[in-house]
Amino acid sequence: IVLGLIIYGTNNGSLRKTRTLAEGGNALFQQKFGGMYYSGNGVEEDRAIAVTWFRKAAEGGYAKAQLTLGLCYHKGEGVTQNHAEAVKWFRKAAEGGYAKAQHALGSCYYDAKGVLKDHTEAVKWYRKAALQGHSASQYNLGLSYFYGEGVGKDIVRAHAWLLVAESSGEEVVEAKTKVAEVLLQPDLEAAEKLSIQLLDEIRNPAP
């Protein structure tokens, strides 16, 4: 599982405004102010203080902060590493529909980090994120279909999801080649057609 923190850039001129808004309870600026402490941008780097501000924003229901706080627990940055606590915050954001958190939660289920290994649950969250255009989840979903992990093995659907991931910018050449090697030409054509249908579903979600 490779996860990265969401940090906002800033400059010294915006420090006072950012702090004032953060202290006033603005969750977006609480996240931004925490990011300044996390990266040492305009203030001395202090990840424990960063976590304090991420937590304020997360407790206020801000999904990006919930994900960021979860990542801090996942990686043990600014706080003692605690995968169960990471899952708690990933789940809050994921249940709110935040695709990056859905991917993170799916990866926790896949890797048994903070929860029992459950490939079916991993696929559930990967699918939710994939249908929102999250390329890494599209890739993982494709591999899940290829190996039959958490879902019935379906090589055509596996290839289709890898094509979707590729169109979203994910590097899939090696995996796509491996899957394509076991498909006949009619299967490849079916996967291409299915990938177009999936892309249309992603780009034009049902209301």
Side-chain angles (χ1 to χ4, degrees), residues 12-94:
N12 289 336
S14 67
L15 174 59
R16 184 176 299 174
K17 177 183 176 181
T18 300
R19 178 166 192 155
T20 298
L21 290 169
E23 290 177 342
N26 185 303
L28 188 152
F29 280 89
Q30 289 170 339
Q31 166 83 359
K32 183 175 181 180
F33 197 41
M36 292 167 65
Y37 274 105
Y38 181 89
S39 59
N41 189 359
V43 294
E44 185 176 351
E45 181 181 311
D46 189 323
R47 295 191 173 176
I49 293 178
V51 166
T52 297
W53 287 103
F54 293 151
R55 189 184 308 281
K56 288 178 184 291
E59 289 175 346
Y62 189 45
K64 286 185 179 181
Q66 291 168 341
L67 172 62
T68 304
L69 182 58
L71 291 170
C72 288
Y73 275 110
H74 182 81
K75 300 170 77 172
E77 295 188 335
V79 69
T80 301
Q81 188 176 54
N82 185 326
H83 291 301
E85 192 70 11
V87 166
K88 166 188 164 182
W89 289 106
F90 290 157
R91 190 182 305 280
K92 285 180 182 292

Side-chain angles (χ1 to χ4, degrees), residues 137-153:
S137 282
Q138 293 165 349
Y139 176 83
N140 287 357
L141 192 54
L143 292 184
S144 294
Y145 275 110
F146 181 70
Y147 292 110
E149 294 181 331
V151 68
K153 189 167 185 174

Side-chain angles (χ1 to χ4, degrees), residues 172-193:
V172 304
V173 173
E174 184 176 346
K176 191 176 70 169
T177 300
K178 183 175 182 178
V179 174
E181 286 176 350
V182 300
L183 291 175
L184 300 175
Q185 187 59 35
D187 296 324
L188 290 170
E189 293 172 0
E192 177 72 28
K193 182 177 179 179

Side-chain angles (χ1 to χ4, degrees), residues 75-158:
K75 300 170 77 172
E77 295 188 335
V79 69
T80 301
Q81 188 176 54
N82 185 326
H83 291 301
E85 192 70 11
V87 166
K88 166 188 164 182
W89 289 106
F90 290 157
R91 190 182 305 280
K92 285 180 182 292
E95 290 178 345
Y98 192 41
K100 290 181 180 180
Q102 291 169 341
H103 175 76
L105 183 57
S107 295
C108 287
Y109 275 108
Y110 188 87
D111 296 325
K113 296 289 188 180
V115 288
L116 294 176
K117 183 182 288 290
D118 188 332
H119 287 165
T120 300
E121 195 70 9
V123 165
K124 167 188 165 181
W125 290 106
Y126 286 151
R127 189 186 308 281
K128 288 178 181 292
L131 289 172
Q132 293 192 71
H134 193 279
S135 63
S137 282
Q138 293 165 349
Y139 176 83
N140 287 357
L141 192 54
L143 292 184
S144 294
Y145 275 110
F146 181 70
Y147 292 110
E149 294 181 331
V151 68
K153 189 167 185 174
D154 187 329
I155 308 300
V156 170
R157 193 165 291 271

